[in-house]
Amino acid sequence: MCPVRNKKNGVSICKYYSCPDFDFSKCSKYRPLKVGDFVLPAKGKRPAYCGRPFTYAVSENYNARKDLNSHCNTLSCPGCGILSELQHRFALVVILWTYALFSGQFPSWGFASMDFSRGVSVEAIRLFRRNLKDRLERWGVTAGTTIFHPYRIKPEITRAIRKLTGLKGNDDSEAFWNYIRDDHNEGNLNKIADLLNIEINSIYDCLILAPHFHFFIFPGNIRITGKNPKSKKRCKSDEYDIFIQRLSHKVNGKRQWELRSLMDIYKQVTYLYSHVGQLTDNRYGNIHIESRFGALFRWHPDKVVSSSGKLTFEQLIDTRTEVLNLINEGREVKLVYNGELKWEGQENDDTGWIPLTKLRDHFSGGRQALHAYLKEAKAVKPEYADYLQQLIARNNFYHNLKGRDGKNKVPKKWRKLWASPFKVDELPEFLKLEPAGSLLRVWFLEGLPDPPAGFLVVDSHQWEHDGCIIEESPEMPSNSLQKASEINYEELFTSLKSRSMMFGGD
């Protein structure tokens, strides 16, 4: 029994997770996790704003607006998860190989698992990762990265896949994951369900929660025994009994521990990122999918590259080009790299357009200066000027609306001029608490006001090919709501200006 107890009532007040009398119910980060608390890449739900058109810019002649489709860029999104996974994979392969060139050492890889008989929680997984890093460094590891996996495939599902495909052995683990992911919609889950005579509604019915980590370490020739090395330094989480194993692969029929080529690193990273897990609810803390330590912590090739040094510009460019070619191999829609990995054709050309973010800062002299500039200096039609004032007013309202706590009431990902209306059940949490007739709620439910006659709307569907386009939302009934045409924008500008929320002052 734990000796750390309240003297009055004898209740344990110990704060250590290893204590047998620890009260897990009093701390959310120790809440037991379930299978549904994690999501695989591109196997989650798409946010309501993802793929929705929003007004991005106005033309230099102020007679048109340019609409783009929003992109959540989350790993779990069915539309954006593929690109997000490829971006993570590309970045990690480039960093590992360029660091190998820079340090003159090749990496090796392995995995670590532990006994979660006391339950799986966010804090338990964090301590597990911390313990793993400390032990690797005590073995002599100077740089490395860990990748988190929350799941393992159920044994009966594995046996069923072997019968259906003829796969054998642990060397085919990537093929097992590719089969149940079923990215090409071949009905693999239905085949498993028919064979086992069970009901499978999703991929998560084939998995069990068994958190473990994979790692890449430098130098790769370090011997790892799996036992805790003797050291005076003691890790806070040494009470955990974890198992660490370095893995090998075959090259020309011979076992090799180090990953001595870019292709070897790419294959392992591709396999590991195919089934990483992202925590769906961050209220209980966050678990990073990838975490670097040692010399790799915050290390980036762009910071150390030089014309004549351990890592040259030519080596860095060649590495990125080769990794990009590996990713594009067999793909109908190619990816391009220009500081960031994107789908081909996704690049946004701002020639002839003024983004609203720049327009908001450009017209900081107040409503009168804006009105005069649009109507006189550029000879813009009065109806066009009035419409643009509405767009700028709404855009500034989103970016400067402060709550009682002094923070912006509108989260950054929602601060866009949404061109299409939202349904009531699609509204974000911060709007569900707003009164039914509030201006913010009205604007989200109605979308943008119709442009005047002759004013052009240019649609630029940037992400059509990755399945991130939503259907047009039907018009919402607005009998009890204030319509955009009924809003007094003169009063709105005055109110915003007086509260220093829209313009910087006259």
Side-chain angles (χ1 to χ4, degrees):
M1 181 177 291
C2 179
V4 186
R5 294 183 174 274
N6 190 309
K7 294 181 180 180
K8 293 183 179 181
N9 54 23
V11 177
S12 174
I13 55 175
C14 185
K15 297 182 180 180
Y16 292 97
Y17 172 77
S18 58
C19 174
D21 293 332
F22 184 85
D23 189 355
F24 293 88
S25 62
K26 293 184 178 180
C27 186
S28 59
K29 64 182 180 181
Y30 293 106
R31 179 185 69 90
L33 297 173
K34 305 182 296 294
V35 171
D37 288 325
F38 296 93
V39 62
L40 294 170
K43 296 298 182 181
K45 293 183 179 180
R46 182 171 54 195
Y49 65 89
C50 182
R52 187 176 294 271
F54 70 96
T55 297
Y56 166 74
V58 297
S59 65
E60 292 181 346
N61 296 326
Y62 301 99
N63 61 352
R65 79 176 201 226
K66 183 179 183 180
D67 290 354
L68 302 180
N69 290 315
S70 61
H71 196 228
C72 69
N73 200 32
T74 56
L75 192 64
S76 59
C77 176
C80 309
I82 297 175
L83 177 60
S84 181
E85 178 194 335
L86 293 175
Q87 289 172 339
H88 283 85
R89 191 197 307 176
F90 177 86
L92 182 56
V93 174
V94 170
I95 285 178
L96 290 176
W97 184 246
T98 52
Y99 185 79
L101 298 175
F102 177 79
S103 63
Q105 301 170 339
F106 293 111
S108 62
W109 75 301
F111 78 95
S113 58
M114 66 166 289
D115 179 19
F116 281 98
S117 58
R118 296 200 63 202
V120 181
S121 66
V122 171
E123 186 63 14
I125 295 173
R126 284 175 171 175
L127 290 177
F128 176 19
R129 172 177 259 160
R130 197 178 310 156
N131 192 339
L132 172 61
K133 290 180 180 178
D134 288 344
R135 293 191 182 190
L136 289 175
E137 288 177 343
R138 278 181 271 167
W139 267 307
V141 172
T142 58
T145 183
T146 60
I147 298 176
F148 173 64
H149 282 176
Y151 299 124
R152 292 192 187 276
I153 303 175
K154 291 179 179 179
E156 60 270 25
I157 300 297
T158 301
R159 290 192 292 267
I161 296 176
R162 285 176 178 168
K163 290 182 179 180
L164 291 170
T165 62
L167 294 173
K168 296 180 180 180
N170 295 328
D171 294 336
D172 294 318
S173 54
E174 180 178 2
F176 285 97
W177 278 102
N178 291 337
Y179 189 85
I180 64 171
R181 279 183 60 92
D182 196 16
D183 292 329
H184 299 289
N185 298 318
E186 297 177 355
N188 293 341
L189 295 182
N190 293 332
K191 297 176 184 177
I192 298 174
D194 294 339
L195 178 63
L196 298 178
N197 195 23
I198 60 175
E199 183 179 355
I200 298 179
N201 296 318
S202 70
I203 186 176
Y204 300 102
D205 294 330
C206 303
L207 308 175
I208 56 175
L209 188 61
H212 58 283
F213 287 97
H214 290 263
F215 56 82
F216 294 92
I217 55 174
F218 292 88
N221 57 0
I222 288 181
R223 178 178 173 82
I224 295 179
T225 63
K227 298 179 180 180
N228 189 6
K230 295 181 180 180
S231 174
K232 294 181 179 180
K233 180 181 177 183
R234 184 169 177 81
C235 173
K236 291 182 179 179
S237 52
D238 267 347
E239 67 272 8
Y240 285 100
D241 184 17
I242 69 175
F243 175 76
I244 303 175
Q245 182 178 359
R246 193 165 58 121
L247 300 175
S248 63
H249 62 289
K250 291 184 178 180
V251 178
N252 297 326
K254 295 182 179 181
R255 175 173 291 188
Q256 183 172 292
W257 295 98
E258 293 177 308
L259 303 172
R260 292 180 168 270
S261 69
L262 178 61
M263 176 62 75
D264 291 339
I265 295 177
Y266 176 78
K267 286 181 178 179
Q268 302 305 335
V269 172
T270 299
Y271 160 62
L272 294 181
Y273 257 101
S274 66
H275 55 285
V276 294
Q278 186 176 44
L279 191 63
T280 57
D281 194 342
N282 291 336
R283 292 179 299 173
Y284 305 105
N286 191 19
I287 301 175
H288 295 289
I289 293 175
E290 179 191 342
S291 179
R292 299 168 197 161
F293 61 94
L296 268 185
F297 181 67
R298 294 183 179 176
W299 187 88
H300 200 277
D302 289 325
K303 296 180 180 179
V304 299
V305 69
S306 62
S307 57
S308 59
K310 294 181 179 180
L311 180 64
T312 64
F313 291 103
E314 291 76 12
Q315 289 176 320
L316 178 57
I317 294 174
D318 291 344
T319 299
R320 284 174 172 159
T321 302
E322 188 174 350
V323 177
L324 184 62
N325 292 335
L326 290 173
I327 291 178
N328 282 330
E329 188 175 346
R331 292 186 180 275
E332 294 182 3
V333 181
K334 305 296 183 181
L335 290 103
V336 294
Y337 180 82
N338 187 15
E340 183 183 6
L341 196 67
K342 293 183 178 181
W343 295 112
E344 191 175 24
Q346 185 180 340
E347 302 90 349
N348 184 31
D349 186 8
D350 287 342
T351 305
W353 297 93
I354 306 176
L356 287 179
T357 53
K358 295 183 179 180
L359 200 62
R360 181 180 70 249
D361 300 330
H362 182 65
F363 295 120
S364 59
R367 177 180 180 277
Q368 289 77 15
L370 172 62
H371 189 81
Y373 181 87
L374 291 175
K375 287 190 175 182
E376 297 175 12
K378 289 293 183 180
V380 180
K381 294 183 180 180
E383 57 270 24
Y384 290 2
D386 293 338
Y387 181 71
L388 291 173
Q389 287 172 20
Q390 293 181 25
L391 298 183
I392 297 171
R394 186 178 296 195
N395 189 55
N396 283 277
F397 186 81
Y398 287 158
H399 282 77
N400 298 283
L401 183 60
K402 307 294 183 182
R404 293 182 179 180
D405 57 357
K407 299 181 180 179
N408 198 314
K409 292 179 65 176
V410 184
K412 187 175 181 179
K413 60 187 177 183
W414 291 94
R415 293 177 211 161
K416 294 182 174 67
L417 290 181
W418 304 107
S420 62
F422 285 80
K423 299 178 182 178
V424 175
D425 57 353
E426 294 177 337
L427 292 177
E429 292 296 327
F430 75 93
L431 275 183
K432 292 180 179 179
L433 303 177
E434 290 283 318
S438 68
L439 196 60
L440 264 181
R441 191 179 175 93
V442 170
W443 281 348
F444 271 79
L445 291 176
E446 289 197 341
L448 292 180
D450 295 331
F455 192 91
L456 302 178
V457 177
V458 179
D459 295 324
S460 179
H461 299 303
Q462 286 185 300
W463 296 286
E464 280 188 54
H465 47 267
D466 65 351
C468 206
I469 301 300
I470 62 172
E471 296 179 358
E472 188 69 20
S473 301
E475 295 184 3
M476 298 298 297
S478 56
N479 298 333
S480 59
L481 301 178
Q482 185 182 16
K483 296 182 179 180
S485 58
E486 299 173 354
I487 297 175
N488 189 331
Y489 279 91
E490 180 74 18
E491 182 179 343
L492 173 62
F493 270 97
T494 304
S495 173
L496 291 174
K497 188 177 178 182
S498 64
R499 293 160 59 186
S500 300
M501 293 176 58
M502 178 172 130
F503 298 112
D506 291 323

